[in-house]
Amino acid sequence: MRSTTRTRHLLALASLPAIASAAQATTWWGFEGTAQKDNFFLDGAFRPPDTMGAAGTTQFMETSNGSVAVYDKSTGALLLRERASSFWQRMGLSGSSGDQRILFDHYSQRWIANGFCATVNEVCIGISDTSDALGTWKGTKIAAFGPTNHVADYPTLSVNQNSVVIGTNNFTPSFSGTSLFTIPKADLLSGAPTVANMTRFDAPSSGADRGFAIQGVVNWTGENATTHNVMAVSRDQFDVFAYRLNGTNAAGATQSAVTELNTALYTFNGRGRQPDTLPGQVNNTSNRLVDELDDRISGNVVQVNGKIIGIHTVTPTGVASANAFTELRWYVLDANSFATLSTGVINGGNFDYYQGSIAINQFGDAVIGYNRSGSQTGDADGDGKADGRITFAGKQMKLVGNNLVQQGSEMVFRVSDVGDYRCGAQNTVDTACRQRWGDYAAVTLDPNDPFTFYAIGEYAAPWADFSSAQDGSLIRANWHTYVAVVTVPEPGTYALMAFGLLAVGAASRRRGSRA
């Protein structure tokens, strides 16, 4: 449901009940993003989509495997969708081979993107000249790892006040370690962007464990101005790490010792359930073809008010792997000591939960986006679709002290149009082919409004004909992305209005807009 625009002016007392009622509700609306079939006719029908996006001052920008798209963030209207290679070539770079990420820098009011260049051993970096994603951009690149048959895989991206941090998983072609790059942000924003003062940390597979899919922390509150915190799962064991990069505003950055969180036991993730893949085999792993990814952190990690918050997908131990359900595990860490302040999970209902992402504002309001799916073929919620279909959903959370507390019920953003998303042709079931899901996901905070969050996720769209003749000869599964815009209640003036309303005995506390 579309949220109404909230006024920020004083209103007459007669209108107080309606305003106070609105102040109690979390509202959301959404719009369709890029589809795999869109990209098929641009840079190719890659899968997974590498679902990624961010909110700017007036636009929402999406990057996916094969294209870059820009939307009017207030209406969801598509302003541009173009080949990813064209986007990078306009900056004088070689092109794109996917794995793109995007953030809007709240400090400089400019966009920062990264991803594979035309060859996957190099990471391209793009910086917009203004807050307008449709305007001009400049670019540079990291010659990350060896010759062109090597891969600087899964390049992550994070931004804080004075630095940009990128991590890579390196393959030669087998896994050979990780790299971490910290770049003074001023070097990217001033004139021609450069990585001349970049500091590089390499960790060979036999060396020190800095983590896997290393994710720097996004921080919009000006904390740790010359340092950059990092959170990542362990490369060598089932655990989570945190540490700090020091002096990241200049050349010669250094790294602190690694803190192990010693998390509760978890193990390898199985594949996600769906309701329709192989009827009659609900508990058989042969119908579980959705690859939920491993325990890596696939979305942004965020920092606010001296705390770091991250989330990832795990399978708890103690249950037979064939029957275990994946869950989302979140962490709240002290941003200085990296002590674990609290942890919690999103699970239950005989669903697998995966591809979690989170953002939080300075008031402690947070939104978590995720996918869930199961074997349920019934329609208990009456939406006309099997309850087990892959669903893009979310929860509003509140940081109360050191703990994240759920506010209200689950928000269902988009239910898949099919229940049998998988590899291969529609009339066959290739049980040997895993269908990798998402790879990335994101929730970002509106830079103009700390009470509005933009979540982007994937769902399964109807089977589509990918042949150029459109004659049904190449019908394949079709991923699609969706953007949900969530607005949470404001404190302050609206809270006082609500208090005044209670004093006169009004009963309405919710607007009924939560899905």
Side-chain angles (χ1 to χ4, degrees), residues 405-477:
V405 179
Q406 183 175 331
Q407 309 292 296
S409 57
E410 179 182 68
M411 296 173 283
V412 176
F413 300 139
R414 187 63 163 84
V415 181
S416 290
D417 296 321
V418 295
D420 58 346
Y421 187 71
R422 51 186 161 79
C423 301
Q426 187 178 18
N427 59 355
T428 63
V429 179
D430 183 356
T431 57
C433 181
R434 66 182 190 177
Q435 181 59 66
R436 190 157 171 160
W437 189 261
D439 254 19
Y440 306 155
V443 182
T444 58
L445 189 62
D446 189 317
N448 296 336
D449 179 3
F451 304 103
T452 298
F453 299 77
Y454 286 73
I456 185 168
E458 180 187 353
Y459 71 90
W463 290 75
D465 184 0
F466 282 85
S467 65
S468 58
Q470 299 288 286
D471 57 4
S473 60
L474 191 61
I475 297 177
R476 295 291 186 270

Side-chain angles (χ1 to χ4, degrees), residues 39-97:
N39 288 356
F40 179 77
F41 296 104
L42 292 172
D43 251 0
F46 302 111
R47 56 177 173 84
D50 290 350
T51 314
M52 182 53 56
T57 54
T58 63
Q59 299 156 333
F60 184 88
M61 187 170 178
E62 176 184 12
T63 57
S64 61
N65 259 331
S67 76
V68 171
V70 180
Y71 308 85
D72 183 318
K73 75 173 189 181
S74 64
T75 66
L78 178 66
L79 304 177
L80 171 74
R81 181 177 290 122
E82 68 172 337
R83 295 173 64 244
S85 292
S86 298
F87 171 73
W88 292 101
Q89 287 165 354
R90 286 204 311 275
M91 303 178 220
L93 297 169
S94 57
S96 173
S97 294

